[in-house]
Amino acid sequence: MVGVCHCSRCRKAGSSVYAYVRAEAFFWVAGRDLVARYAPTPPLRFNRCFCARCGTALGDPFSGRVLAIAASCLDDGVRLTPDFHEYVADSPSWRRPEA
Ligand SMILES: [Zn+2]
């Protein structure tokens, strides 16, 4: 499942399009030791994870039974179509396409 979050926190994390993957279906090919985490202040729940070498936003590949993986970190060739948008009302005017 793919979702687009328009909230300010996701925008500032450098990604707002997420591929949601069941934790048991996710595995690391390489680079797990390079992942840095920024833990949120409660009541926020999801970590901001990124590559400590290049800074690429990763979403949160560690928390929960369903992981939110930043679609922007996926290599080319992955076909994704958003299934939903959330917090659309929070999207700033500069981000909305003109009608
Ligand atoms: Zn969000």
Side-chain angles (χ1 to χ4, degrees):
M1 180 169 51
V2 175
V4 181
C5 184
H6 297 263
C7 83
S8 63
R9 185 166 188 264
C10 287
R11 287 196 317 270
K12 291 175 182 177
S15 181
S16 58
V17 182
Y18 297 98
Y20 293 93
V21 181
R22 288 176 299 146
E24 64 268 21
F26 180 84
F27 63 93
W28 290 90
V29 175
R32 182 179 180 160
D33 56 324
L34 295 173
V35 177
R37 295 186 212 196
Y38 175 83
T41 301
L44 299 174
R45 297 183 302 147
F46 298 103
N47 295 302
R48 290 179 178 177
C49 297
F50 54 95
C51 175
R53 181 175 290 166
C54 71
T56 297
L58 302 173
D60 188 352
F62 299 110
S63 301
R65 295 185 332 196
V66 177
L67 307 174
I69 306 300
S72 57
C73 76
L74 300 174
D75 290 332
D76 194 18
V78 177
R79 288 182 171 223
L80 298 175
T81 302
D83 296 294
F84 66 90
H85 288 253
E86 61 184 356
Y87 299 104
V88 175
D90 294 351
S91 189
S93 60
W94 54 259
R95 190 165 188 230
R96 297 182 200 129
E98 294 189 33

